[in-house]
Structure formats: C-alpha cells, structure tokens
Amino acid sequence: MAPDSREPKPSISEARVRLLGMAIALSFCLLAGRLWILQVIRGPEFLGKSESNRLRIERLESPRGAIYARRGPVQDVVLADNRAARDLMVVPADITISDAALCRRLGELTGIDPKKIEAQITKARKAREPFKQILVRGDIPAAVSARVDEYAYALPGVFTAVRPLRRYVYGKTAGQVLGYLGEINPEELETRQDRYNMGDLIGRGGLEGRHEDRLHGEDGRMMVTKFAAGTPQLRTDPYGNPYIENLVDSLGHSLSVEEEVQKARPGGDIYLTLDIGLQATAERLLEGEHGAIAVLNAETGEILALASAPGYDPAVFVSDTGSRERVSILQGKPNRMLHRAYQEVYAPGSVFKVMLASAALEEGVITRDTKFYCPGLFRLDANGRAWHCWRRQGHGQVNVVDALAFSCDVFFYNVGLELGVDKIGKWAKKFGLGVQTGIDLPGEAAGSIPSRESKEASNKPGHEEEPWVYRWYPGDTVNLSIGQGEATVTPLQNAVMMAAIANGGHLIVPHLDRESAPARSEKFLSDRTLTIVREGMRKCVEKGPPAPTGTGREAYIEGFEILGKTGSAQMVSLSQYEHYKDEADIPKELRDHAWFVAGVLDHEPKLAVCILVEHGHHGSSEAAPRMRDIVNGFYESWGKTPVLAAAADGEAGAR
C-alpha cells in the first residue's frame, strides 16, 4: 500500500495563533491609521485644543476716556475721568493665624462685619480653593487702605488690588448731561461680545451713552498658564498694572506669563462746549425747583449750559454702597433721570409770540404800524366765547412792538387768525419748534405744533360720523396763537428760536461736542423783521420811565443789550382759580409754568437763553430775574479759573 502523501493538518492551537496574529496585525494597522488621522489630518485642531487647555487669556480692562468741559474760551477742566480704586482682598492659603483672629483684626480696622469675612473664607476652603482671591470690599477709602497697609504684618493673606474707577469730579453738576454707567444686559452683550464681558459697565443716557464706543477703549490681554482646575489670580501694583510673578491659581498651581502683555488702549477723550462755571450757576438757580435752563452761543450753536432740576450724581449708579440711593433716583417722583431741557415738552405759552410776530411780518400780514385794540378780552363774534388777555383792563391800541413788550394776548389772537394755522405751522418749523433740534445727546423729545392734519388723525378714529370732533376751528387757532392748546416744545427748542433772533435769522443746531462743526441754515428772516422784533423784545426788558415798563424788566442789566420775552403756560382751566382769594393761595401744582427767553447782542459770544420754572406762575417774576445771574455770572467769569467743589477722592465712582 502506497504511503499517504497528504500534509499533516495543523493542530487547533496553531490555527488560533495564526488568527490571533492576524487580529493583532489588523489592530496595529487600525491604530496606525487612527494615529495618522489624529496627528496628521486633525493635528492642528487638537494642538489648538491642547493649547487652550493649558493657556488662558486674562483680560486687562481699559481705562474709560475722560470728558472735559471748559472754563472760558481756552481753559479745560475735567468733568469725568478715572481714579485708582482699591479693592480689599484676602487669600485663605496665605493666612498663618486662625481665620477668626484675622477676621476680627480686619473688622476692627475696616468696620466690616468679621463674620461675613470669615464665612467667605470658609466657603473657599470647603470648595478646595485655598488660593482664591476673595473680594472683601470694593473701592475702600484711602484711609482704610492705609490702615490695612500699616498693619500688614498682623494681617497675613490680606492685600489691596487697584483698578480704574470712573470719577465724576464735580458730582451732581452736569450729571444729567454726562449720563451714567450701568451693567451691560444680555441683549447688548450679544452684539458687543468683541469688546465686552458680562458684568461690564456701559454708558446709559447722556454723553456716556451717546459716545460709548468712543469712550470705552480696547481691553488688553495677558496669556497665563492654566490647569485642569483652578482660576488664575492676578494682582496689581499701586498703579493698577497687573503682574503675576511668583503667583498661583486658586488651587495652588504656579503660574507664569506665556507671552508679552498686550496693554489696554484707553478710551478716547471728549471735549465739551459746556462752560462749567455757567453750568454750576444755572443749576444753582434751579435749586428747590423743577425746571430747565439752556444757554447757547447764538452764532455757533455751542451749548454753554444745559441745566435741569431735579438732577442726580452719576457716581451713585456705580458705587458699591449706593444701591438704596439708586433705587430712589430711578423710581422716585419727580423723575430725576429726565433732562427737562431737551427730553420733556411743555406748552410754550407767550414766548410763542416771538415766532408768531416774526411769521406775520414775513408773510406781510402785519407791519410795524398795524394795530389792534385790546379791551382785555377777545371774541370771534359778538355773542361768542371770550378769550381774555392776561391784563384784564386791556392794553388799548397796540402795535407789534408793544405787543411783544407787554405780551398783549388780544393782539396775537388777531394776528394768529390773520396768519392761519397752516402758516403758523410752517413758520414754527422754520424756527425749530415742535421738531427735534439735532442735539448730540440721546432721547431728545420733539414736541408738536398742532395742525388740521394732526387733529384729524388724533380725533377721527372712532368718530368718523362726527366731523365736528376732529374739524379744525378758528378757536383752535386762537389758542395756538399764544402757545396754548396742543402745542408743546422743549426749552432747548425755545433757546434755538431765540438764537435765530440774535444771530440774524439762522437756525442753528445745538451741540456739546467741540469736534462738531457748527451747522446753521440759510438766512430765513429779513433784516426788517429782525429790527422790529428786536425792538419789541428790547422794550420788554428795558425799564421806564419815560417808556412804560415791559414784562421782562427784572432781566434788565445796565450796560447790556438784552432782548427778552416772558411767558406763562396755563396748566389748568382758569375756572379752577376762581375760588382762591389771593394768587398766593393757589396750590403750586395748579400754577402756570414760567418762561423767559432772551438774547444778549452786544457782548461776545452772543447768548441765546431759555429759562423754565415749572409751576412758577409768572415768567416776569420767576424766570426773568434768573437771567441777570446767567449774564453776570457768565461774562464776569469768562476765562477765569472755576471755583467749584470737586468730589473727594475715594467717593463713589464707576469703572
């Protein structure tokens, strides 16, 4: 029998070894492929993630730009800048005595409750963050900081860090013009992530809000080592510059700077047209009242003063201790957040007659010699309603010059009817009444000059079948002719109107930023009209004899050519006054608003002024006298050093 030529079959163990070898080889191939993908294809991606896990960018906050006013034509003074705020800190790991003993000593030196400090330290220890820098109190006074430094040997683990904090040098003065700072909200942060972090402060209202992008600056950065856990703990030198030498994170890991520090770029500065001495004078004149004062350079539109009362100190909004006062300001009555010079509207009252007289002269409705008889009241027809003149015994035969000087209502009732509502609206707009002035501040109110169209739009809905409800009547024109009815303007608009009379018939754009180029319209008033209107307004201020005394006589100053016009804006029906025996008995909230508009023609710069005292009753007695202080205070101090009390270093401020 032939021998068996077949190969011997491998054993089961040999097959398994071969299979295992193939599996290992395949695994190495897969591993090699995976490594190739991770290291070659996705290498840059994971390198970035690795660096991100190791490094952390620490933000270096930029100082906010300063805001300057001026004193006179050339001297600049600081309104808002930044100071070094001292924050009191403690690091639990550096405490070499008992926590209770340290907190007791710290409380004795600073007045801070020791139990609150100890609770913060205990919380950090329980969270296993012994190197965490705990903020004990922000923005401590310099005296407290000095005591902490003096007893540093007895306060292991305690130190002060410095940061830039917003400072408002003159406190409440010009506070509403400056605006304030508030914490950025999530909606704002969503569109500003490139420059802001949650918790940052951002400008609100006033110049701080209008020029936020300009004032904010650009933050710097510092790259430091970072570990899987722990937060970098930066410290600052006495000037607020961050350093990280021999420092650890909150868990004790040693840190180091990985690249050169990119310094923060401070925000841009703003230089204002505001004269700080005049601003302080205007605010002083409104103390105890509600009202506004606007003072303009009549030629250029530069705002020299823009006062509103009551006001607020913007430093309160970022103070660590001013929360109660902030609530009072934000929720209290009256509204102190509202700047009454350009954000509130009022019936213009008799100052509206300046525009009406100019319009009637330009339209040829009257001449200088046109006269109307004033018996003390006016009727559209013999048996119709009576509109009274403020002087119940009347003014007799009156022309436009005397009508402006003595504020004769009956004269302007007649002129308004002759002119008509459409032309009144046209000329009001030319003078800047009832429309925004274009001031470089946010939230400007426009006001309104009523018209046929506006009355219909307002009253027709729901009354389509009752045309008498929305039709314009001659009586509406009579009311409008003396600035009553639905007419509303801002004090700033009245100052702009007055500037047109003072500068030769040009509408100016009021502005605060000195970088803004003066803007004004083409001449829209003839010299003939200006001569007549100025004559009447000059006579309003001049004192007799031999001429009769005008309603603005309390604004008269020897040696100054002052134009003026008084006004009283009625707040309630005259019938509500009838049961009061004496004018002094009328409750203040029922009294008329007191107006005075004025111009100074014979001094440089020429001034255009509007003064409003809410519920002052008479412009002649409440508003006009304040004009003397405005004029004397401005021209006597023009170019001199301001004498104002600056806020003390260490008072409330903002980042």
Side-chain angles (χ1 to χ4, degrees):
M1 184 175 182
D4 189 353
S5 60
R6 289 180 300 175
E7 293 285 334
K9 293 182 179 181
S11 65
I12 295 177
S13 60
E14 290 177 345
R16 287 179 176 176
V17 169
R18 290 180 182 178
L19 184 60
L20 179 61
M22 293 174 62
I24 293 174
L26 180 60
S27 298
F28 273 106
C29 290
L30 292 174
L31 181 60
R34 183 61 177 168
L35 289 173
W36 184 80
I37 292 173
L38 293 176
Q39 294 185 0
V40 178
I41 296 179
R42 300 185 64 185
E45 175 188 347
F46 288 104
L47 178 62
K49 288 184 177 181
S50 174
E51 288 296 299
S52 175
N53 192 47
R54 188 180 70 87
L55 303 177
R56 172 171 176 158
I57 295 176
E58 283 297 307
R59 176 189 180 214
L60 309 181
E61 187 177 345
S62 62
R64 196 168 178 84
I67 301 176
Y68 295 86
R70 64 183 179 187
R71 181 60 161 179
V74 295
Q75 182 184 4
D76 291 321
V77 293
V78 176
L79 279 185
D81 62 0
N82 306 288
R83 62 179 176 83
R86 304 166 185 87
D87 293 338
L88 184 62
M89 317 289 289
V90 62
V91 177
D94 293 341
I95 300 174
T96 57
I97 59 178
S98 72
D99 292 349
L102 176 85
C103 295
R104 184 175 61 255
R105 292 177 184 176
L106 196 56
E108 291 171 354
L109 290 173
T110 65
I112 303 171
D113 185 354
K115 293 182 179 179
K116 290 184 178 180
I117 305 173
E118 189 171 1
Q120 290 179 285
I121 295 173
T122 301
K123 182 179 179 181
R125 292 190 189 279
K126 287 182 177 180
R128 297 184 180 181
E129 293 183 327
F131 291 90
K132 180 180 180 179
Q133 294 178 0
I134 299 172
L135 175 65
V136 177
R137 177 167 293 177
D139 192 20
I140 59 175
V144 173
S145 178
R147 287 198 297 271
V148 171
D149 291 342
E150 181 180 357
Y151 290 93
Y153 66 89
L155 299 170
V158 176
F159 66 97
T160 57
V162 180
R163 59 186 167 91
L165 201 71
R166 197 62 162 168
R167 179 179 68 150
Y168 296 98
V169 178
Y170 296 109
K172 190 176 178 180
T173 303
Q176 290 171 310
V177 173
L178 291 170
Y180 65 102
L181 301 182
E183 188 172 334
I184 192 169
N185 61 46
E187 293 75 20
E188 292 168 325
L189 186 63
E190 193 171 332
T191 60
R192 295 172 178 258
Q193 289 181 351
D194 56 328
R195 298 180 66 187
Y196 295 83
N197 291 336
M198 184 58 74
D200 282 356
L201 299 179
I202 190 171
R204 305 276 186 211
L207 293 162
E208 295 279 23
R210 175 63 182 258
H211 298 288
E212 171 62 27
D213 290 340
R214 181 169 164 189
L215 290 166
H216 183 70
E218 297 290 343
D219 292 335
R221 69 176 194 170
M222 173 189 290
M223 191 83 76
V224 299
T225 53
K226 177 180 127 179
F227 296 84
T231 303
Q233 304 288 291
L234 299 182
R235 292 193 183 184
T236 57
D237 63 21
Y239 305 99
N241 300 311
Y243 68 89
I244 203 166
E245 295 178 12
N246 302 320
L247 210 62
V248 295
D249 67 10
S250 58
L251 298 180
H253 302 121
S254 297
L255 301 178
S256 61
V257 177
E258 296 292 334
E259 63 178 35
E260 186 177 352
V261 175
Q262 179 181 319
K263 293 183 178 179
R265 183 178 64 81
D269 297 335
I270 296 176
Y271 291 83
L272 304 181
T273 62
L274 208 69
D275 183 89
I276 188 60
L278 183 61
Q279 178 73 23
T281 297
E283 292 186 15
R284 175 180 58 79
L285 291 173
L286 292 173
E287 284 182 2
E289 301 286 357
H290 301 162
I293 296 177
V295 185
L296 310 179
N297 181 324
E299 296 284 359
T300 65
E302 292 180 333
I303 297 174
L304 302 173
L306 198 66
S308 174
Y312 63 85
D313 183 350
V316 171
F317 287 88
V318 284
S319 165
D320 290 333
T321 58
S323 58
R324 182 173 299 177
E325 190 172 355
R326 284 197 293 273
V327 172
S328 174
I329 292 173
L330 290 170
Q331 299 180 359
K333 300 294 183 181
N335 186 358
R336 286 194 272 170
M337 303 303 296
L338 197 70
H339 199 299
R340 286 163 169 76
Y342 73 96
Q343 292 182 316
E344 182 63 287
V345 296
Y346 307 85
S350 290
V351 298
F352 196 71
K353 296 170 183 175
V354 176
M355 181 281 298
L356 198 72
S358 302
L361 289 165
E362 286 294 306
E363 292 288 345
V365 169
I366 61 171
T367 67
R368 189 190 185 286
D369 299 323
T370 300
K371 292 184 178 181
F372 292 99
Y373 179 70
C374 172
L377 58 83
F378 172 83
R379 284 189 172 93
L380 287 168
D381 55 63
N383 299 316
R385 169 193 167 181
W387 279 270
H388 291 278
C389 183
W390 72 268
R391 193 169 190 261
R392 292 306 176 95
Q393 63 268 42
H395 291 91
Q397 290 289 342
V398 184
N399 65 11
V400 65
V401 172
D402 287 341
L404 286 169
F406 309 125
S407 198
C408 177
D409 293 327
V410 172
F411 179 91
F412 286 100
Y413 293 150
N414 284 282
V415 170
L417 286 171
E418 293 280 346
L419 195 58
V421 61
D422 298 329
K423 289 181 180 178
I424 292 176
K426 179 184 76 172
W427 281 93
K429 186 175 182 179
K430 284 190 175 185
F431 272 95
L433 301 177
V435 293
Q436 291 182 333
T437 67
I439 184 176
D440 49 350
L441 285 173
E444 182 182 12
S448 175
I449 303 301
S451 64
R452 304 176 195 274
E453 295 76 18
S454 66
K455 184 177 182 182
E456 181 173 334
S458 175
N459 297 327
K460 188 173 181 178
H463 299 279
E464 289 84 355
E465 305 303 322
E466 303 169 290
W468 58 88
V469 174
Y470 56 83
R471 184 181 297 148
W472 186 271
Y473 294 97
D476 295 323
T477 305
V478 172
N479 282 332
L480 179 58
S481 298
I482 61 166
Q484 293 290 166
E486 300 299 319
T488 57
V489 300
T490 66
L492 182 60
Q493 289 172 9
N494 276 336
V496 169
M497 174 189 71
M498 195 59 233
I501 300 298
N503 67 26
H506 302 274
L507 186 68
I508 52 91
V509 177
H511 61 276
L512 283 160
D513 190 345
R514 256 185 269 171
E515 292 185 5
S516 299
R520 64 183 199 169
S521 71
E522 296 294 326
K523 184 179 177 71
F524 67 93
L525 292 175
S526 66
D527 291 338
R528 172 183 53 82
T529 292
L530 287 168
T531 298
I532 296 170
V533 172
R534 286 175 177 176
E535 183 181 352
M537 298 186 73
R538 191 179 295 111
K539 191 172 183 178
C540 175
V541 175
E542 288 178 352
K543 290 187 174 183
T549 301
T551 57
R553 59 189 176 275
E554 292 298 327
Y556 177 79
I557 304 175
E558 185 70 36
F560 284 86
E561 182 184 4
I562 297 177
L563 310 180
K565 180 70 192 77
T566 57
S568 297
Q570 186 177 319
M571 298 302 298
V572 297
S573 171
L574 293 176
S575 63
Q576 295 194 40
Y577 296 159
E578 292 176 354
H579 62 281
Y580 295 104
K581 293 181 179 179
D582 191 272
E583 190 176 87
D585 296 332
I586 300 174
K588 187 166 185 177
E589 64 270 15
L590 299 181
R591 297 177 186 179
D592 299 343
H593 292 331
W595 289 100
F596 189 68
V597 293
V600 179
L601 299 188
D602 60 344
H603 285 65
E604 290 297 332
K606 294 179 181 177
L607 297 185
V609 182
C610 178
I611 301 170
L612 167 73
V613 180
E614 290 185 13
H615 306 292
H617 212 49
H618 297 300
S620 57
S621 59
E622 288 297 325
R626 290 171 164 83
M627 180 64 183
R628 292 198 305 269
D629 289 332
I630 291 290
V631 172
N632 286 328
F634 178 69
Y635 291 111
E636 287 179 4
S637 62
W638 187 243
K640 295 182 180 178
T641 302
V643 181
L644 290 171
D649 183 42
E651 291 183 354
R655 284 181 288 168

